[in-house]
Structure formats: structure tokens, C-alpha cells
């Protein structure tokens, strides 16, 4: 989508009555609550089966029905949103269920081009390496596996069907089992991303890059709660062996994390570098939320295995404030609210063009 067409749309908006809109899933409660806290009208676009969630919390001033997520792209729906001066806040479901936003003319908060970098693992890797980060080794083909690896697939699928292997034979055996269990499609094996498994402590850092303040902010940190890997430790080892249990990584929830303070230097430097490189790869560079997904190894070295170029669901551990957002702002602040605050400030300063794409 040509950026100038989107800028044309936002130019027509009444800046005093902007509506914040998002799809009803992933982190919509976070986004909508944040928008209300900053005084915006809110619209939630949701499917029948998720309606119960958004009706229960009362943070959507209006709920618009969708048969399925891609209906967002229908002309009538887009016209209605533009009519409401809507800015869309994208999240993981945009990647997982819609994909490219080429046909979306409604302004999106953040940089939709970087979301495309996120879903392409090769591009993503280039971005992180150019930012000088340490990444796990990757293997081009299963035959090259010579150590413990984790096998993943493209897109934001929340760990579903991921598995571990230590050899080419084990890779093919487990891939077969995953297909039989219905956790992955046979065709996905070919696109599998094979990555060295780093043993350590996971931390997901939710950062925010603010064009208004020209700074990188740490808003929250979390770790995941996953089925079945987090359940395995509750079963004795001999039972695990007898039952032939195999961990997978379907995300179920998240826990908040506070880091050993000295480790924050690595994370903040990494985030700043990622933002610098983003400016070279996709104009206008990073805007708003992004997440660095890392493992700290036994030497407390940070190894980054993924970046999400949008809000992550784990940032919801920081509602109404995380220790970090509170230290920074001295008031309740969390990702959804931070996004809305940026939109409000950008509107006041005539900078809306710089925070949407
Ligand atoms: P959902 O709205 O639950 O269908 O999630 C949309 C996409 O985001 C899916 O690909 C999920 O796997 C992913 N997702 C949802 N919640 C989380 C979470 N708490 N942590 C990580 N990924 C998530
Ligand atoms: P992801 O969907 O990439 O965020 O990862 C899903 C799960 O796999 C999380 O529990 C991660 O901590 C774990 N994971 C992903 N990549 C690695 C890696 N290279 N080493 C260790 N754990 C990983």
C-alpha cells in the first residue's frame, strides 16, 4: 500500500475525534483499555465466538461483527472505519490471520512494513544481525543438525507444533509425530526454521519506540507459560520416559519478570540498535511497540532469538503498570495506554503522519 494514500486518508481525519480500533483477539483488551484511559472512543472488530470476551469487559464503545478476520479488508468495513476517524492498532492476529496489509488503506499505528520483516525469518535474522545482536545458530537443512535444536515455523503461531531434536533422524521422526497429532501441516516441515536451542532463562522484553520523545522505553518484561513444556516438570522423569512424552510450546499465558538490574544494559542497548537498523530497512523505521525475545545463558549473556515488530500479548502482564513503566512514568502506564498516549501527543503536536503507516 502506497504510503501517500494512507497519509491522504489521515489528512482528512478530525483530529479531535479519533477512534482507536483493533481486532478482538490477542491483546485487544490491553489496547482498548489503554485507549479509553487516554480518552479515545474505541471499536472492536470481532468474530461471534470471541464476542463474549469483549462484551464482558466493557472497553469497546462499539463492537463490529466480522465473519472472519480478513473481512477487515472489505471496502465497506474500511469505509466505515475511515468514517469514524479510526486508527488501527495491529497485533499478533494481524500477522497470524490476515498477513500482508497491502489492501488496508485505514491508517495503522506503527510501521506495517516492519511487520512484514517480522514474518520473514531470513529478513528478521538479517535485521537482528545488523543490529549487532547475538543470535542462536541456524541450520539450513535437517541433515546439518549436530546439536540440540528447536524447530519452528513462519508467522506468529504462539509456539504451536514446535519441537526439539538432536539429530536429522530425530527431526524426521518428531516431525512425523507432530503431523500425526495434527499440530502442524506436512507442508510446513519444508519451511521449518531450525535453530540451536539455548539452555537458559527466557525473557521477552516489551519496548516502545516513541517518535514524539525520540526515545526507546522499556514498558514490561514477561516469560511464557506453555503447554506442554511447562507441565513436564510436574511428572517424574521415569514416567516421562515410559509415556514417551515430547514437549511442545503452545502458549497458554505469561508471567511478569523483573530482571537482575545489571542485565538491563544488554537489553536496552540491543533495543536501541534494533531501532537504528529499522530506519535503514523500512522507512520511517520502528514506531511504537516491539518485543525482543531472548534467552540469557549461564554466563548471563543475552541471546536474541526473535523480534516482534508490534505489541505482544505478554505485555499485558504490565496492566496497569509494570515495575519498569512505573519507574519511567511515575503513573500507571502499560502498552495499550502507551500507544494511545503517543497517538494523543502526536495529534496535539501535528505529528500523526510520523506514527502511522
Ligand atoms: P489468538 O488471539 O489467541 O488467536 O492469538 C493470535 C496469535 O497470537 C496466535 O498466533 C497466537 O499463538 C499468538 N498469541 C496469542 N496470545 C499469545 C501470548 N500470550 N503469547 C504469545 N503469543 C500469543
Ligand atoms: P517463539 O514462538 O519463537 O517465541 O518461541 C516459543 C518457545 O520456544 C518459547 O518458550 C521460547 O523460549 C522457546 N525458544 C524459541 N527459540 C529458542 C531457542 N533458540 N532456544 C531456546 N528456547 C527457544
Amino acid at each position: 500500500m502506497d504510503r501517500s494514500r494512507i497519509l491522504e486518508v489521515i489528512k482528512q481525519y478530525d483530529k479531535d475525534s479519533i477512534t482507536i480500533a483493533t481486532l478482538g483477539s490477542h491483546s485487544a483488551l490491553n489496547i482498548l483499555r489503554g485507549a479509553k484511559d487516554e480518552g479515545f472512543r474505541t471499536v472492536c472488530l470481532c468474530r461471534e465466538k470471541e464476542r463474549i470476551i469483549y462484551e464482558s469487559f466493557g472497553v469497546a464503545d462499539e463492537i463490529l461483527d466480522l465473519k472472519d478476520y480478513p473481512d477487515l479488508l472489505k471496502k465497506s468495513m474500511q469505509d466505515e472505519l475511515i468514517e469514524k476517524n479510526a486508527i488501527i492498532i495491529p497485533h499478533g492476529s494481524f500477522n497470524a490471520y490476515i498477513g500482508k496489509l497491502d489492501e488496508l488503506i485505514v491508517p495503522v499505528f506503527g510501521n506495517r512494513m516492519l511487520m512484514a520483516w517480522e514474518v520473514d525469518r531470513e529478513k528478521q535474522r538479517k535485521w537482528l544481525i545488523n543490529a549487532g545482536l547475538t543470535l542462536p545458530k541456524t541450520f539450513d537443512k535437517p541433515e546439518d543438525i549436530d546439536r540440540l535444536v528447536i524447530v519452528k515455523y513462519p508467522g506468529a503461531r504462539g509456539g504451536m507444533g514446535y519441537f526439539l531434536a538432536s539429530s536429522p533422524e530425530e527431526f524426521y521422526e518428531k516431525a512425523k509425530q507432530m503431523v500425526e497429532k495434527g499440530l502442524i501441516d506436512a507442508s510446513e516441515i519444508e519451511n521449518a526454521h531450525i535453530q540451536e536451542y539455548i539452555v537458559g532463562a527466557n525473557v521477552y522484553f516489551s519496548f516502545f519506540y516513541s517518535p514524539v520523545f525520540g526515545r526507546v522505553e522499556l514498558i514490561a518484561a514477561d516469560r511464557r507459560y506453555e503447554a506442554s513444556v511447562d507441565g513436564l516438570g510436574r511428572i517424574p522423569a521415569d514416567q516421562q520416559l515410559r509415556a514417551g512424552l515430547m514437549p511442545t510450546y503452545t502458549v497458554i499465558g505469561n508471567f511478569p519478570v523483573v530482571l537482575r538490574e545489571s542485565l538491563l544494559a544488554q537489553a536496552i542497548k540491543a533495543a536501541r540498535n534494533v531501532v537504528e537498523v529499522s530506519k535503514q530497512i523500512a522507512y520511517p523505521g520502528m514506531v511504537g511497540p516491539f518485543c525482543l525475545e531472548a534467552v540469557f545463558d549461564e554466563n548471563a549473556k543475552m541471546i536474541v532469538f526473535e523480534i516482534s515488530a508490534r505489541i505482544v500479548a505478554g505485555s499485558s502482564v504490565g496492566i496497569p503498570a509494570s515495575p519498569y513503566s512505573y519507574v519511567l512514568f511515575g503513573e500507571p502506564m502499560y502498552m495499550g495506554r502507551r500507544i494511545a498516549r503517543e497517538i494523543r501527543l502526536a495529534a496535539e503536536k501535528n505529528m500523526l503522519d510520523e506514527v502511522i503507516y
Side-chain angles (χ1 to χ4, degrees):
M1 174 61 65
D2 188 358
R3 183 172 161 80
S4 61
R5 288 185 61 197
I6 300 163
L7 294 180
E8 212 39 57
V9 172
I10 201 144
K11 210 160 105 190
Q12 310 298 330
Y13 275 13
D14 175 356
K15 311 289 185 294
D16 295 322
S17 66
I18 289 172
T19 299
I20 301 285
T22 196
L23 292 177
S25 69
H26 190 268
S27 49
L29 292 174
N30 186 339
I31 292 166
L32 298 172
R33 178 73 261 168
K36 292 211 72 68
D37 281 353
E38 292 295 311
F40 288 100
R41 253 190 79 73
T42 56
V43 168
C44 179
L45 300 109
C46 81
R47 303 186 298 192
E48 183 55 35
K49 64 176 175 182
E50 281 95 11
R51 200 180 168 95
I52 182 172
I53 305 171
Y54 302 97
E55 278 176 351
S56 302
F57 287 96
V59 283
D61 292 319
E62 192 175 357
I63 295 182
L64 298 179
D65 295 315
L66 292 178
K67 266 224 152 43
D68 206 356
Y69 296 119
D71 289 354
L72 168 69
L73 304 177
K74 282 193 176 158
K75 181 160 186 316
S76 55
M77 185 58 85
Q78 294 204 43
D79 287 347
E80 188 170 351
L81 288 169
I82 290 172
E83 184 69 25
K84 295 180 195 297
N85 302 304
I87 294 178
I88 293 179
I89 315 299
H91 52 57
S93 293
F94 287 69
N95 290 353
Y97 308 127
I98 302 184
K100 280 213 165 118
L101 300 178
D102 290 349
E103 292 160 45
L104 189 66
I105 194 164
V106 185
V108 167
F109 179 77
N111 183 343
R112 59 176 92 184
M113 303 313 275
L114 285 175
M115 288 174 69
W117 276 74
E118 168 189 338
V119 291
D120 181 330
R121 287 205 187 265
E122 283 315 308
K123 284 180 136 180
Q124 184 183 125
R125 200 174 161 79
K126 240 195 272 168
W127 178 6
L128 297 177
I129 288 173
N130 285 343
L133 310 191
T134 306
L135 276 67
K137 185 177 160 57
T138 58
F139 297 85
D140 290 338
K141 46 184 192 308
E143 284 65 30
D144 297 341
I145 296 173
D146 64 356
R147 66 191 77 185
L148 184 61
V149 299
I150 181 163
V151 180
K152 317 180 184 185
Y153 314 95
R157 41 181 297 149
M160 172 102 89
Y162 288 12
F163 63 88
L164 302 184
S166 302
S167 67
E169 298 72 35
E170 195 182 351
F171 172 94
Y172 287 112
E173 177 53 34
K174 292 215 169 138
K176 201 172 115 206
Q177 288 177 33
M178 285 293 168
V179 174
E180 281 165 8
K181 280 184 159 187
L183 289 173
I184 55 171
D185 225 49
S187 62
E188 290 179 286
I189 304 287
E190 282 165 35
N191 298 321
H193 182 79
I194 306 169
Q195 203 173 67
E196 171 186 15
Y197 186 89
I198 311 289
V199 182
N202 288 136
V203 186
Y204 291 62
F205 292 95
S206 281
F207 284 102
F208 186 93
Y209 178 70
S210 162
V212 169
F213 295 135
R215 68 179 189 193
V216 173
E217 303 168 351
L218 177 57
I219 302 294
D222 73 283
R223 52 164 290 207
R224 289 179 170 192
Y225 190 34
E226 294 160 322
S228 60
V229 69
D230 287 315
L232 288 184
R234 298 169 62 94
I235 302 169
D238 63 325
Q239 298 268 323
Q240 292 183 25
L241 289 174
R242 263 182 279 142
L245 292 179
M246 155 162 96
T248 187
Y249 298 81
T250 305
V251 68
I252 302 299
N254 307 77
F255 303 105
V257 174
V258 175
L259 263 94
R260 185 173 150 184
E261 199 156 295
S262 54
L263 299 180
L264 290 177
Q266 291 183 67
I268 295 167
K269 276 186 205 152
R272 288 187 182 176
N273 291 346
V274 158
V275 169
E276 276 318 304
V277 175
S278 74
K279 293 178 181 161
Q280 298 153 24
I281 61 179
Y283 180 85
M286 186 71 79
V287 174
F290 66 104
C291 177
L292 293 182
E293 314 187 352
V295 186
F296 286 84
D297 71 11
E298 58 197 359
N299 299 312
K301 176 161 179 56
M302 178 180 172
I303 295 143
V304 175
F305 60 85
E306 208 165 317
I307 182 168
S308 296
R310 38 128 185 125
I311 185 172
V312 292
S315 67
S316 295
V317 301
I319 303 171
S322 87
Y324 298 115
S325 63
Y326 188 75
V327 170
L328 186 57
F329 287 88
E331 66 174 318
M333 186 54 69
Y334 52 94
M335 197 56 92
R337 183 170 191 181
R338 185 64 191 87
I339 292 168
R341 172 76 54 97
E342 190 78 358
I343 293 173
R344 190 157 65 70
L345 293 174
E348 284 166 15
K349 294 176 192 292
N350 237 332
M351 285 179 69
L352 275 179
D353 285 8
E354 293 172 49
V355 300
I356 56 118
Y357 193 165

